[in-house]
């Protein structure tokens, strides 16, 4: 995955904010799970960062836990 294709590398980590679940929804699949790295289009660093933001949002119920 090249850095250029990572949205967060391009636009900065502020675009992912656990307080703004809308900013994280593009990285969730239909069941509410986090997309895998190929699907998210994020670099390693920012994919991990995004997952942390999703976790925080779930803990305070801004985002649902995935149905499995
Ligand atoms: Zn990145």
């Amino acid at each position: 995955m090249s850095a250029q294709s990572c949205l967060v590398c391009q636009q900065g980590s502020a675009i992912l904010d656990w307080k703004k679940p809308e900013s994280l929804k593009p990285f969730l699949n239909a069941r509410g799970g986090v997309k895998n790295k190929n699907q998210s289009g994020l670099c390693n660093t920012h994919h991990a960062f995004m997952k942390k933001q999703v976790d925080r949002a779930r803990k305070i119920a801004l985002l649902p836990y995935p149905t499995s």
Side-chain angles (χ1 to χ4, degrees), residues 1-33:
M1 185 62 63
S2 76
Q4 286 150 341
S5 63
C6 172
L7 196 69
V8 184
C9 284
Q10 289 172 3
Q11 301 187 21
S13 59
I15 66 164
L16 296 182
D17 186 346
W18 62 271
K19 297 186 290 303
K20 295 175 189 159
E22 292 300 321
S23 73
L24 301 168
K25 281 185 180 169
F27 302 105
L28 301 179
N29 63 34
R31 287 184 311 201

